[in-house]
Amino acid sequence: MLLRGTMQVNPAGELEIGGITASTLAGKFGTPLYVIDEALFRENCRRYREAFGPDNRVVYAGKALLCTAVCRLAEEEGLCLDVASGGELYTALKAGFPPERIYFHGNNKSPEEIRQGLEAGVGRFVVDSLYELDLLSRLAGEAGKRPVILLRLTPGIEAHTHEYVRTGQIDSKFGLPIATGQALAGVRRALACPNLKLLGLHCHIGSQIFDLEPFREAARVMLSFAAEVQAATGWFPEELNLGGGLGIYYVSGDDPPAIEELAAAVLGAVRQTCAELGVPQPRVVVEPGRSIAGPAGTTLYTVGAVKEIPGVRLYVMVDGGMNDNIRPALYQARYEAALANRITDEPTATVTVAGKCCESGDVLIQNVRLPYPAPGDILAVPATGAYNYTMSMNYNRLPRPAMVLVKEGRAEVIVSRESLEDLVRNDRVPDGLWK
Ligand SMILES: *Cc1c(COP(=O)(O)O)cnc(C)c1O
C-alpha cells in the first residue's frame, strides 16, 4: 500500500497518520472512522494555488468532501468553493465561508435554492439550462439583485473515464451543448437579461481523468466557441472555468499527472489558443475536488468475521462497507488496503474485503494481498477522502462513521459519529396507526 502525506510506519510496525497510530485512533474514536490528514489536504490546496498563480482561481469542489471544518480549511488556503445544492451552500455559510467566493452549481436548482443563493450573495451562479436562466432572471428581479453568472456548456469531449463520471459529451444532463447551437442561444439570452451579469463560461468534462489531452482540448474548444461568440455578439468571457477532474492514485497502475503538470497543460493551451485566435486571455478557473480531498482521507475498519470458503475465497468482513464507501458498488472503483496494526507483516493471503450490508454487492475490495487477517485487526483503506463521506448513507440503519482531522499527533472530531437516536430522529408514528 502506497504511503501518502504524513503516513508512516512506526518502529512497532504500525501505520501512523498525522503522527498517531491507526490503532490509537480506532481505540479512541471507534470504527469505521474517516481520518483526514490535514497537512496533506492543505498541501494539495497550496499546490493548486501556486501552480495556477494569482491571476487565476482555484475552486474546491465541495461535493468531494464537505463539512464545516473542511470549508474552513479551503477558506484558510485561499480557495473558492463550489457548492451544488442548498445543503452544501448552507454548510459553507454555517462555516463562515465568504459568499462572494462561492460558485453555485447544480443542474436543477430549485426556486428555493436560487433564492437562498441570491440572499447569501454568492459570487457566481453557474447556470445549467435555459430554464434556469429564465428562472434566475425572474427571481433576481424579484429580489432586486443582479447576480454574476457563468454558463455551463458541454464541449463535446469524451474523456476516458467511467461513463457514470463522464460529463463533457453532448448527451449529458449537464450544460448547454456547443454543437447544437444551444450554447450560443444561451449566451444571447443571458446577454438580453438585464437582471443577470454574464461573466464567463464553464465546462467540466469528467472525473478521475489521467490524460492531460482532454483538458487541453476542452480549453481549445471553449476558447474557439468564445471567439465565435465575440464575432457574433461582441461579448467575450472574462472568466473561463474548466472544471475539475484530475485523477488520483488508487491502485497500482494508476498514474495520474501531478497538479503542476495539469496547470502547465491547461495554462499553456489557453495561452496558445488565445494567441492563435487573437482574443484576450480570460482568467482561468479550475474546480478540483478528488485531487485535493481524495488522497488526504483514509478509512479505518475493524475486522470481524473471517470466512474461508476452501478453494473459493477468503472473505474478511469489516464493520462498514457500501454505507461509508459506495464507490466500488457504484462504479467498480478499486482500492488498496493494509492491516494497520501490523503493516510490516508478510502478506500471505489473498482476501476479499466485504462490508456488513445485506447486499452481495457490498464488497469493498476484491483480491487484496494481506497478512492472514484475524478478528480485531484494523484494516486501513487509503484514498477515501473524496466521494466517500459525502455519498454515505444509512442502509440497514447503520449510523454514519465519525470523521477526525489529524495533525502532528493531535486528532479532532470534525463530524461526530451518528448515534442510534439520530437514526430515529425524523421517524414519526401517526396517531391511530395501531388501531
Ligand atoms: C464534480 C465536479 C467537480 C470536481 O470534480 P473532481 O473530479 O472531484 O475534481 C468540479 N466541477 C464540477 C462542476 C463538478 O460537477
Side-chain angles (χ1 to χ4, degrees):
M1 184 189 92
L2 179 76
L3 299 182
R4 300 149 168 91
T6 65
M7 282 184 180
Q8 55 182 37
V9 177
N10 75 7
E14 289 202 47
L15 176 69
E16 284 183 5
I17 312 171
I20 313 177
T21 62
S23 48
T24 304
L25 290 167
K28 186 158 179 205
F29 302 103
T31 55
L33 183 68
Y34 294 119
V35 181
I36 307 296
D37 181 341
E38 180 178 336
L40 183 53
F41 187 97
R42 287 184 186 272
E43 181 189 322
N44 291 337
C45 293
R46 266 173 228 171
R47 286 176 61 189
Y48 263 105
R49 286 258 290 162
E50 279 165 25
F52 279 89
D55 296 339
N56 301 307
R57 276 187 168 191
V58 180
V59 181
Y60 170 61
K63 73 179 194 279
L65 177 69
L66 200 74
C67 61
T68 48
V70 167
C71 290
R72 295 288 283 271
L73 294 181
E75 198 279 319
E76 284 179 23
E77 294 302 331
L79 272 55
C80 299
L81 184 67
D82 148 359
V83 300
S85 71
E88 290 183 357
L89 175 58
Y90 183 80
T91 304
L93 297 173
K94 269 276 172 186
F97 200 92
E100 65 278 7
R101 275 160 56 193
I102 295 179
Y103 284 62
F104 198 175
H105 278 272
N107 67 303
N108 191 25
K109 301 176 190 75
S110 69
E112 293 70 32
E113 287 174 317
I114 290 176
R115 283 193 203 99
Q116 198 186 338
L118 287 168
E119 193 176 320
V122 297
R124 312 272 189 272
F125 280 88
V126 183
V127 175
D128 201 276
S129 63
L130 298 178
Y131 163 76
E132 184 187 337
L133 200 59
D134 294 342
L135 180 63
L136 177 61
S137 175
R138 181 165 65 74
L139 297 177
E142 284 173 17
K145 306 240 169 148
R146 186 164 183 261
V148 174
I149 68 164
L150 308 180
L151 277 186
R152 179 163 179 172
L153 311 182
T154 35
I157 290 169
E158 307 267 337
H160 294 281
T161 186
H162 194 284
E163 65 172 314
Y164 289 6
V165 290
R166 245 186 259 154
T167 49
Q169 71 282 11
I170 290 172
D171 181 0
S172 168
K173 74 169 184 170
F174 298 104
L176 298 165
I178 292 177
T180 60
Q182 282 154 299
L184 181 58
V187 170
R188 288 189 194 280
R189 197 176 313 182
L191 291 173
C193 288
N195 300 335
L196 305 178
K197 176 170 169 48
L198 178 63
L199 187 81
L201 302 174
H202 172 278
C203 72
H204 170 71
I205 56 174
S207 198
Q208 185 59 2
I209 299 169
F210 285 162
D211 185 3
L212 291 175
E213 192 46 31
F215 293 108
R216 289 193 198 96
E217 186 59 15
R220 289 192 285 260
V221 170
M222 294 292 282
L223 285 166
S224 303
F225 172 72
E228 276 173 43
V229 168
Q230 190 181 37
T233 69
W235 177 87
F236 190 77
E238 244 174 79
E239 191 165 300
L240 177 64
N241 185 328
L242 294 170
L246 181 64
I248 64 167
Y249 176 97
Y250 285 101
V251 293
S252 135
D254 290 347
D255 189 17
I259 291 166
E260 292 75 16
E261 292 174 295
L262 173 73
V266 166
L267 296 178
V270 168
R271 203 178 309 115
Q272 193 187 343
T273 310
C274 288
E276 282 165 15
L277 295 168
V279 295
Q281 210 170 300
R283 170 168 57 241
V284 175
V285 180
V286 286
E287 295 174 330
R290 186 191 311 272
S291 51
I292 288 179
T298 302
T299 308
L300 303 180
Y301 302 97
T302 302
V303 172
V306 176
K307 177 178 184 177
E308 181 152 16
I309 308 173
V312 177
R313 196 177 290 281
L314 175 58
Y315 279 104
V316 176
M317 325 283 185
V318 293
D319 52 357
M322 64 190 293
N323 286 65
D324 56 80
N325 185 357
I326 189 75
R327 297 188 64 256
L330 189 61
Y331 26 66
Q332 299 95 44
R334 295 173 63 211
Y335 287 90
E336 294 181 331
L339 293 184
N341 51 313
R342 48 195 183 101
I343 196 165
T344 50
D345 283 12
E346 217 38 57
T348 53
T350 299
V351 312
T352 291
V353 179
K356 61 181 284 158
C357 290
C358 301
E359 285 286 325
S360 295
D362 180 21
V363 167
L364 288 175
I365 314 179
Q366 304 265 11
N367 302 330
V368 59
R369 295 286 295 166
L370 293 177
Y372 201 99
D377 277 334
I378 304 298
L379 186 90
V381 178
T384 57
Y387 306 110
N388 274 235
Y389 167 70
T390 52
M391 289 183 163
S392 63
M393 56 164 168
N394 290 124
Y395 178 50
N396 284 150
R397 291 236 148 173
L398 299 181
R400 283 186 179 76
M403 181 154 37
V404 295
L405 197 61
V406 294
K407 185 186 186 176
E408 292 166 5
R410 285 182 52 181
E412 300 284 351
V413 173
I414 57 173
V415 178
S416 302
R417 185 175 301 283
E418 280 181 344
S419 65
L420 296 177
E421 188 52 36
D422 289 332
L423 297 173
V424 295
R425 186 174 308 280
N426 296 318
D427 291 8
R428 300 289 182 269
V429 179
D431 280 350
L433 187 68
W434 311 120
K435 287 181 189 149

